[in-house]
Amino acid sequence: MHAPLLLHRDAELAALSDALHRARRGSGGLAVVRGEPGAGKSALAAALATAARAAGVAVGTGRATELAARRPFAPATAAIGDGAPDLPRLAEARRVLAAAPPGVLDGSADGGDRELWVVDQLGAAVEDRCAGGPLLLVLDDLQWADASSLRVVGHLADAAPGLPLLLLVLTRPPAHDTPVARLLAAGRAHATVDLALEPLPPQGAVELTAALTGGDPGPALRAHVAGCGGNPLYVRELVDGLRAAGRLVRDGDRVELADGDGPLPATLADLVRARLAALDGATVRLLELAALLGTRFSAADLALLADRPAARLWEELEPATRAGLLTAEGEGLAFRHDLVRDVVADQLPASARAALHLELGRALAAVGAPAGRVAEHLALGAEPGDREAVAWLARAASEAAFAGPDVAVGLRRTALQLAAPGDPLRGLLTAQLAFDVIAAGDRDEGEALCRAALEEGVHPDGEGALRLGLMESMMLRGRLPEVLDQARTTLASPGVMPADRAVALSWLAIGAMFLEGADVADAAAERARRAAVESGAIPAEIKALNVRGLLARQRGDLVAHERFTAAAVAAGAREPTRPVLASHPHLHHAVALADLDRFDEARARLGEAHRAYERLGMRAPATFLHVFGAAVLQAAGAWDDAVTEHVAAIAAARATGAGWQLDTLGALAVLHARRDELPAARERLAEIARLEAAGAVAHDVAGATLAHALVLEASGNADAALVLLDALWDELAAAERPALRRPFAVDLVRMLVARGSTSRALAVAEDVASLAAGTPQSASLAALADHCAALARGDVDGLVAAAARASAAPRPFEALAACADAVVALAAAGRADDASRLADTGLAHAESLGAAREATRIGGALRAAGLRRGARGPRTRPATGWESLTTAERRVAELVAEGLSNPQIADRLVVSRRTVSTHVSNILRKLEVGSRVQLATIAARRDRPAS
């Protein structure tokens, strides 16, 4: 039989047990149990945990508390570390959480990124635990959890279906539109169990009373139990109180009230107060003090508040333990239930509670307690104008902002409420609050607070930091015109420090690159670089060098692009901190190396960036790691991996609120179009249109236009496609961005030749030749120039030679395009054997890329010449099954089969966890399985030797 409090909860326990069984088989999920205090949520969880341990399932339990709601990640780290305190990733997350906060304003808005990194790290720690076997993770009293812990719950709920993980959360019914309510509403898609514990039926309350008393309740006892409203806790407390008072008598199997008509407590609070009345005054006083510490408390804290040795406390509290008000828990004590603690606390008048909280806060401060613990008590006891409380709250907020910006927002708002109107701290608090709100994800309010603080001049010393923070937020959202305006305002202000001016200049250069032309941007970037060197502002120096590099790239000077970005990497090496590496020197250099066909070096740079971001706990920059990584992979012909990185980049951008998605969406649309996946290409183009309508800006304006042109051509509207690309060619020349024309040069020449515009085709080919002449180090660029020239001239042998040269260079798609055009020309010239031989080379490229569009062109040319397709043929990869997996997906599947978690696979392959997660999702979908366990079974079966 279950514990008495689980009577009439068989259905609920069975549902949870079934979810646990599925988790043991690898298909985990989220289980939610809602119920009023005393309904039996914790009893259900305890019973499930006992069954889990008996079945060999690891269990981790954490509990949120009302007072600890100002401690970021407290219940989440407690649950994840319960039973596994030595998890390396958990230790790393705790190290980051314990790190010293940044300066007064420096890096304040960086807290949101740090918080997201800790969420990822804790999620990785759970996945590592799951790699060792199934796991039950329990989070109790979720209604008190801090916002950061709620983000961990959301992260784990998303991941659980593919893991041997049951995430069980217990909560009181949340009020409408609270963070917990929104989290649970979003988690319903993953909730394998969603239970609402209803009150026991009348007969259930009688059966619980019988189990607690060991007899059949008599009529009078039943009548009083009926007044408990079916709440199991209330029934238990009523029975325990009656037994302690000697008011229960047994007559055979019958248990009845000794004085059937005597008065009984009407509520649970009355029951607790009745027990308190039986204790001596000293014990009650200690209990009242303990209630201020929370439901669970340590003897050391109570001794500090009571001002007496801890040894004496045990003697004075022992009667409360006998009365069932307290229980031992670990090295401390706990009230039997939150409701018991609430009743005891309410014994004190509000003014007395406030005074004691203030006293405890000051006592904790005197013994060097963490600022967060001091602040949580001062916030409950301080009066307006208490500068000591304001200072402690501000200090606690700065510590929390480092990784828990939502907590910091609450602490700073409380500090501002307490600060006197003329307190000089108000200006700093307002400025810091603006950064905290931005970091917490509310960029609209955060930017408004920045502007208000600047307009009111509440913190003159922080003007530069406020303006730079405002620009950073607007830039992340892609609002370039506003960034430019703010940069100019910053430079015009006499109160901005030289280092801040250098950063403003670098933002001015970035904005000008998009909106004001290359010459203006280059001059601004050089001014920013000089100012940065003079003031020692390394982030501004890197931004300036990156801008100069991008401008060099756009005008076709790829060697200068590499030189500038290499200098940015060297600058970053002087001080490899978060603010410095947030300017992405390694990523920009990786693209520069790829432009010169140095793909191995480019991949190495990407790996360096990945390791640096992991080491420093940088989550938002990982978005750009996907963006730049996809660009390198796409150029190198690793299209499957490029698609994975593009998809990961889009997901990361949406998760972090970044507005820079147009380049990624455009590049992905081009890949879809070249693979003849026209519906997917159109879907990406529609996304681009929606974002552009909202004001988003693209760096690479060619991507979306090229994709649109390819879709039009494939849909039979070649004339419209030609108009788009022809106009884009001239627009990029006028904007001094000729290098951005490379991806569609061959497409444009081919369309022009098909229309009979030979002179225009030759002019385009000459432009490409000029670009190649400026970079003799690039074999692929030289091959591209030969290809365009031969295509424009109609030179069949020249096309064959260009195809051979392109095939020897490291860009498979450009080699495929050259082969396709040569095959078409050879077939048209009646050189069937030559066309057939070259078709095999082209189709090999097409197969490796999945480039169905070019494969179809080759096949069509052969058929038109009366030739049969070679044995290789453009095979289409199946949509499902093991053969549908890409090379990278197979490698990931093999590592899953070895028992590695996603984070461990990411470490092994030196890629991001999001990339691995995307691969695993694709693998599960293609193999049509629901869990890693099933995936591992399939992979192991394939590796097993035939008998």
Side-chain angles (χ1 to χ4, degrees):
M1 180 173 125
H2 302 311
L5 291 183
L6 292 177
L7 284 171
H8 283 262
R9 300 300 189 201
D10 291 332
E12 290 89 346
L13 187 57
L16 291 173
S17 298
D18 183 60
L20 180 64
H21 178 68
R22 291 197 298 274
R24 290 175 60 196
R25 296 172 59 187
S27 298
L30 170 69
V32 180
V33 180
R34 300 173 176 83
E36 296 295 341
K41 302 183 296 294
S42 298
L44 267 178
L48 186 68
T50 299
R53 291 187 181 97
V57 176
V59 178
T61 302
R63 184 187 298 270
T65 64
E66 188 174 4
L67 281 177
R70 292 187 176 92
R71 302 178 199 169
F73 295 102
T77 54
I80 294 167
D82 181 27
D86 298 326
L87 283 171
R89 295 184 209 276
L90 176 61
E92 182 65 12
R94 283 175 167 156
R95 182 191 66 77
V96 168
L97 290 171
V104 174
L105 280 182
D106 296 340
S108 295
D110 185 49
D113 177 50
R114 186 66 64 103
E115 179 193 37
L116 292 173
W117 181 87
V118 173
V119 170
D120 275 354
Q121 195 77 352
L122 293 177
V126 171
E127 290 192 46
D128 288 348
R129 285 195 72 173
C130 289
L135 172 66
L136 169 64
L137 209 60
V138 183
L139 274 170
D140 202 349
D141 284 330
L142 196 70
Q143 72 275 359
W144 301 127
D146 62 283
S148 300
S149 290
L150 293 180
R151 289 189 176 95
V152 174
V153 172
H155 179 96
L156 294 176
D158 288 340
L163 296 170
L165 168 68
L166 180 60
L167 175 64
L168 173 59
V169 298
L170 315 176
T171 181
R172 298 178 187 179
H176 178 66
D177 202 31
T178 59
V180 173
R182 290 192 292 273
L183 170 70
L184 296 182
R188 282 203 175 98
H190 301 303
T192 53
V193 177
D194 192 350
L195 302 175
L197 295 190
E198 301 296 337
L200 294 175
Q203 183 57 33
V206 171
E207 291 175 15
L208 174 57
T209 305
L212 292 169
T213 60
D216 179 25
L221 181 55
R222 289 184 182 220
H224 284 294
V225 166
C228 294
N231 185 293
L233 175 68
Y234 189 3
V235 173
R236 184 184 70 179
E237 294 300 316
L238 175 65
V239 170
D240 287 352
L242 292 172
R243 182 185 291 115
R247 297 183 62 187
L248 291 179
V249 295
R250 179 180 293 275
D251 182 9
D253 292 335
R254 176 66 58 91
V255 178
E256 185 58 285
L257 289 175
D259 46 350
D261 296 328
L264 284 176
T267 65
L268 179 61
D270 292 334
L271 280 169
V272 175
R273 281 192 284 269
R275 294 197 195 183
L276 290 173
L279 300 175
D280 64 65
T283 299
V284 172
R285 169 67 173 167
L286 273 181
L287 286 174
E288 290 170 346
L289 295 178
L292 300 177
L293 298 171
T295 302
R296 290 154 189 79
F297 56 92
S298 71
D301 284 349
L302 183 56
L304 186 67
L305 183 58
D307 193 24
R308 68 188 73 181
R312 281 183 54 194
L313 297 178
W314 298 113
E315 297 176 12
E316 296 182 29
L317 289 175
E318 200 272 336
T321 303
R322 284 201 312 270
L325 296 170
L326 294 179
T327 60
E329 188 165 295
E331 297 180 0
L333 290 170
F335 285 93
R336 186 162 173 173
H337 196 277
D338 289 341
L339 293 178
V340 175
R341 178 251 175 187
D342 293 342
V343 172
V344 174
D346 287 343
Q347 294 282 103
L348 288 168
S351 59
R353 288 201 302 272
L356 285 169
H357 275 298
L358 188 63
E359 180 183 327
L360 177 56
R362 288 171 175 163
L364 288 169
V367 297
R373 293 204 56 218
V374 175
E376 66 192 19
H377 290 285
L378 293 182
L380 294 171
E383 296 285 338
D386 187 332
R387 292 209 70 199
E388 180 187 19
V390 170
W392 274 104
L393 285 163
R395 178 177 164 187
S398 291
E399 291 181 3
F402 200 45
D406 289 273
V407 170
V409 168
L411 288 165
R412 274 199 235 279
R413 291 196 196 279
T414 303
L416 280 167
Q417 291 169 0
L418 293 175
D423 192 329
L425 270 177
R426 291 191 65 87
L428 176 60
L429 285 168
T430 301
Q432 290 171 321
L433 177 62
F435 285 118
D436 294 337
V437 170
I438 289 173
D442 191 344
R443 295 188 179 277
D444 288 333
E445 185 191 356
E447 290 175 14
L449 285 168
C450 280
R451 290 190 181 92
L454 288 166
E455 289 169 7
E456 297 168 13
V458 296
H459 186 52
D461 292 342
E463 179 187 356
L466 280 166
R467 294 194 183 280
L468 295 182
L470 187 55
M471 282 186 273
E472 185 92 38
S473 178
M474 293 187 299
M475 187 68 181
L476 184 65
R477 301 169 87 182
R479 288 159 45 193
L480 278 171
E482 295 172 75
V483 173
L484 276 173
D485 289 344
Q486 193 58 234
R488 293 191 181 99
T489 302
T490 303
L491 293 171
S493 174
V496 175
M497 301 296 289
D500 293 339
R501 292 177 65 81
V503 177
L505 276 169
S506 69
W507 284 123
L508 187 67
I510 292 171
M513 179 174 62
F514 288 93
L515 302 176
E516 296 188 342
D519 290 340
V520 174
D522 203 34
E526 180 55 21
R527 284 174 58 206
R529 188 193 66 78
R530 291 176 181 173
V533 171
E534 290 174 5
S535 62
I538 297 178
E541 181 183 357
I542 292 174
K543 282 186 174 70
L545 287 166
N546 284 341
V547 169
R548 298 211 68 191
L550 287 171
L551 292 168
R553 181 187 192 231
Q554 290 174 6
R555 63 176 178 265
D557 192 347
L558 304 184
V559 174
H561 179 210
E562 192 278 331
R563 185 175 67 251
F564 281 124
T565 53
V569 171
R574 299 201 304 267
E575 190 179 310
T577 60
R578 291 171 61 85
V580 168
L581 296 186
S583 297
H584 316 302
H586 298 85
L587 302 185
H588 284 276
H589 192 221
V591 170
L593 291 166
D595 282 344
L596 295 172
D597 298 340
R598 294 158 60 181
F599 290 110
D600 288 342
E601 295 174 72
R603 288 189 175 98
R605 275 285 186 248
L606 292 172
E608 289 175 31
H610 170 73
R611 287 187 288 271
Y613 295 156
E614 282 293 301
R615 184 179 71 253
L616 295 171
M618 300 171 71
R619 177 52 152 69
T623 301
F624 297 95
L625 180 62
H626 294 301
V627 172
F628 284 77
V632 171
L633 292 166
Q634 191 161 335
W639 281 12
D640 289 326
D641 293 342
V643 168
T644 298
E645 292 298 326
H646 283 312
V647 171
I650 293 166
R654 290 170 180 165
T656 58
W660 294 93
Q661 299 180 47
L662 296 189
D663 288 2
T664 291
L665 288 167
L668 188 53
V670 169
L671 280 180
H672 286 313
R674 296 217 183 274
R675 288 182 152 180
D676 223 13
E677 300 164 351
L678 299 185
R682 291 189 182 99
E683 182 181 340
R684 298 304 182 184
L685 289 170
E687 289 182 68
I688 290 171
R690 286 193 294 271
L691 290 171
E692 286 179 331
V697 179
H699 168 64
D700 182 0
V701 295
T705 304
L706 172 57
H708 191 190
L710 292 173
V711 170
L712 285 171
E713 184 185 32
S715 304
N717 199 346
D719 287 344
L722 174 57
V723 169
L724 278 179
L725 294 185
D726 202 23
L728 180 61
W729 192 267
D730 290 338
E731 288 171 14
L732 290 172
E736 301 179 75
R737 305 174 81 179
L740 297 185
R741 302 185 296 190
R742 175 177 183 165
F744 65 97
V746 170
D747 298 285
L748 178 56
V749 172
R750 177 173 48 75
M751 291 180 189
L752 288 166
V753 169
R755 193 174 180 182
S757 301
T758 304
S759 60
R760 173 64 170 167
L762 288 168
V764 171
E766 289 176 9
D767 290 341
V768 178
S770 296
L771 183 64
T775 313
Q777 299 92 333
S778 174
S780 65
L781 199 50
L784 181 69
D786 289 349
H787 179 186
C788 290
L791 187 59
R793 294 194 307 267
D795 180 356
V796 178
D797 289 331
L799 283 170
V800 173
R805 190 170 187 181
S807 293
R811 292 184 180 247
F813 178 72
E814 291 182 357
L816 167 59
C819 288
D821 283 328
V823 169
V824 171
L826 287 166
R831 296 165 58 178
D833 290 343
D834 292 339
S836 183
R837 282 192 295 271
L838 192 54
D840 283 344
T841 301
L843 291 173
H845 288 307
E847 185 177 339
S848 70
L849 295 165
R853 187 189 189 97
E854 295 300 314
T856 300
R857 273 215 306 141
I858 293 172
L862 294 177
R863 286 193 299 274
L867 298 171
R868 293 182 61 188
R869 183 170 296 166
R872 177 174 286 276
R875 295 194 301 270
T876 300
R877 182 184 291 131
T880 59
W882 188 264
E883 297 304 320
S884 70
L885 302 184
T886 67
T887 301
E889 288 167 355
R890 290 185 189 187
R891 179 62 178 140
V892 169
E894 289 163 358
L895 293 175
V896 169
E898 288 181 22
L900 272 66
S901 66
N902 283 6
Q904 290 166 341
I905 294 171
D907 292 344
R908 175 83 63 89
L909 300 181
V910 196
V911 296
S912 78
R913 294 169 199 157
R914 192 178 291 275
T915 296
V916 176
S917 178
T918 303
H919 279 313
V920 171
S921 296
N922 289 339
I923 295 165
L924 295 176
R925 173 177 52 80
K926 291 179 179 180
L927 297 183
E928 299 177 305
V929 297
S931 74
R932 300 166 72 91
V933 173
Q934 293 169 300
L935 188 166
T937 300
I938 292 173
R941 196 177 294 144
R942 291 190 59 83
D943 290 340
R944 191 178 300 141
S947 57

